[in-house]
Amino acid sequence: MLRYQLSHGNAVNILLNFTAKKIMQKCCIGIALAAAILTACGGGGDSSNGTSSAQLPPAPNVEAAATATIGDTYSYRHTTKNLDTGSRGFVDYSTRIVSNVASNGAISVQYLFHRPVIKAPNSYQQTSAFFDIDSAGQLLGFTSQGCRSTPNPLYHLVALYSISAGTNWKYSGVTSADCVGYGAGLPTTIAFEDSVAAQEPVTVPAGTFNAFKVTRNGTMETHARKDIRKRTCWWESELRVEVKCIDETSSLSKLDGRTSSDVKTDELMGYSNQKFARKTETVTRFVGYWGTAFEGIALNQDVTGMCTFLFDADGNTEGCSYFKSGIRFTVTGKVSADGSLVLNLSNGSAIQSFTGKLDNIKIISGALNPSNPSDGTWSMIQQGT
């Protein structure tokens, strides 16, 4: 039995159960992470799909949604507070990357999750999930750590791509999962009702947006747990994203009767939308572990080697080290919100610095000696991408 909390858009608790402990250890975490996103970002179902229904009252002020572009990113900060104790539980981060756009407007996206490790505050647990979304904004399925999950019927993401004040949605369905080599997990039943209020200004670290207020009341239930949720999101229709969500969840364990409650606040920290040339730069998009490699000559010696370091939420790193020919090399650095990067390589007696510009959140490289590129190269790749 696993309870895992993770946020994006609006956070949610999910309990997934498998009949074998090995299955739990191998694939439960991946499903829980992905399912958290599904239920968090899930919107109304289509009236033609199974048990879901959508009520769309006449409303002339319908907003058209944007078309995604490969490379668009949206980064969030998620803050959890335990309502039973009043204490803040943790702050974690996520970034959504558009990885593919079909001719009909369907998209594939990758979510990168970074959650601080409780006993090691300078470390993060890093996980990713991959989502396929149709042209209407409905989730077709999602994959994480070898487990494929499918909602039936499909969800919309927080709101329909065309949205108007006064709209109401209802949904009732089941999310099932199948893990490679381990089979199916027990289903999660989800039901909710959404309502859309008029646009209003909302301010988050990424800026001030005129957004629809979308309120949800719903439940999520397995054979061992039931969550009751009340969530409010502010949906920016041109960008097709939520810019802020506040999600209150009360949970009941059917196994021992224990209850808990918390509130999670999710805020857009920064984004880049190419179609509308809109963006707010944020260092949050670079949070996570980066593999750093050197190959060639620097500091008047062969520095070939690699190590991995962590960029924290401020763009700083405590660095990493590796050995070459008995010499220990240490790598430190810093990245700014606009992607400006400085790497420092030290052999204990001298330091050489390298600069570059992270114009994406996956990879960057450069010459060890710009005046003599044949000396070799350095590179950085974000793990999990």
Side-chain angles (χ1 to χ4, degrees):
M1 181 176 65
L2 169 72
R3 181 189 181 198
Y4 198 97
Q5 296 178 329
L6 187 67
S7 309
H8 178 84
N10 38 69
V12 65
N13 301 330
I14 189 163
L15 179 69
L16 292 173
N17 298 274
F18 289 85
T19 58
K21 183 177 181 181
K22 185 176 181 181
I23 295 177
M24 288 172 52
Q25 293 173 336
K26 194 71 176 179
C27 63
C28 261
I29 291 177
I31 301 173
L33 291 170
I37 298 299
L38 175 66
T39 55
C41 297
D46 187 274
S47 60
S48 63
N49 275 324
T51 59
S52 70
S53 60
Q55 294 79 44
L56 304 176
N61 297 321
V62 175
E63 298 287 337
T67 299
T69 304
I70 293 175
D72 286 354
T73 61
Y74 300 89
S75 297
Y76 293 84
R77 178 180 63 199
H78 316 284
T79 305
T80 302
K81 181 179 181 180
N82 187 306
L83 294 178
D84 300 321
T85 64
S87 63
R88 190 177 80 170
F90 54 85
V91 178
D92 56 352
Y93 304 91
S94 67
T95 293
R96 164 180 164 154
I97 312 164
V98 177
S99 56
N100 188 61
V101 180
S103 58
N104 67 352
I107 63 174
S108 295
V109 299
Q110 179 181 13
Y111 287 90
L112 298 176
F113 312 114
H114 303 97
R115 183 178 184 181
V117 178
I118 295 176
K119 295 183 178 181
N122 293 323
S123 299
Y124 285 82
Q125 179 184 10
Q126 182 166 300
T127 312
S128 65
F130 300 86
F131 283 66
D132 299 313
I133 304 170
D134 72 11
S135 58
Q138 298 180 122
L139 288 169
L140 301 172
F142 50 98
T143 303
S144 182
Q145 297 188 1
C147 298
R148 179 70 176 178
S149 297
T150 306
N152 182 29
L154 305 180
Y155 285 84
H156 285 88
L157 297 177
V158 178
L160 294 170
Y161 280 177
S162 292
I163 182 174
S164 59
T167 299
N168 297 289
W169 304 309
K170 291 184 178 181
Y171 178 87
S172 179
V174 175
T175 295
S176 57
D178 186 76
C179 295
V180 176
Y182 295 94
L186 297 177
T188 299
T189 300
I190 301 167
F192 58 77
E193 295 186 8
D194 288 348
S195 60
V196 182
Q199 289 176 303
E200 62 184 32
V202 57
T203 300
V204 294
T208 298
F209 300 85
N210 198 32
F212 287 100
K213 185 177 180 180
V214 183
T215 302
R216 167 170 300 176
N217 291 282
T219 61
M220 181 169 60
E221 189 168 3
T222 70
H223 80 287
R225 184 181 190 82
K226 182 175 182 179
D227 292 340
I228 300 174
R229 304 173 57 218
K230 181 178 181 180
R231 183 203 71 185
T232 301
C233 287
W234 286 264
W235 173 264
E236 216 277 13
S237 57
E238 184 177 74
L239 295 175
R240 281 185 177 176
V241 298
E242 63 278 23
V243 296
K244 182 176 182 178
C245 288
I246 300 175
D247 189 346
E248 294 187 20
T249 301
S250 297
S251 302
L252 168 67
S253 170
K254 298 179 181 179
L255 302 179
D256 57 20
R258 288 188 298 178
T259 61
S260 63
S261 58
D262 56 39
V263 59
K264 302 178 181 68
T265 302
D266 308 316
E267 298 175 290
L268 186 65
M269 301 295 289
Y271 68 97
S272 175
N273 181 288
Q274 299 169 72
K275 178 179 179 181
F276 293 100
R278 295 176 58 185
K279 69 177 181 179
T280 297
E281 294 172 328
T282 177
V283 74
T284 304
R285 57 189 165 144
F286 304 121
V287 170
Y289 289 95
W290 291 76
T292 306
F294 298 88
E295 184 174 2
I297 304 299
L299 298 169
N300 298 314
Q301 62 192 117
D302 186 356
V303 297
T304 300
M306 63 183 301
C307 62
T308 300
F309 64 71
L310 169 74
F311 275 134
D312 64 19
D314 296 317
N316 299 315
T317 178
E318 293 185 350
C320 61
S321 61
Y322 65 93
F323 287 87
K324 173 67 175 178
S325 301
I327 298 175
R328 181 183 181 183
F329 292 93
T330 301
V331 184
T332 58
K334 182 175 178 61
V335 65
S336 302
D338 66 355
S340 296
L341 172 72
V342 177
L343 280 182
N344 302 306
L345 179 65
S346 171
N347 62 5
S349 58
I351 297 176
Q352 185 169 337
S353 296
F354 311 95
T355 59
K357 186 70 175 285
L358 274 166
D359 54 4
N360 64 70
I361 62 172
K362 293 188 176 184
I363 188 170
I364 185 176
S365 62
L368 292 176
N369 182 0
S371 62
N372 187 9
S374 63
D375 280 354
T377 60
W378 61 269
S379 63
M380 288 174 48
I381 299 176
Q382 182 168 190
Q383 294 186 350
T385 61

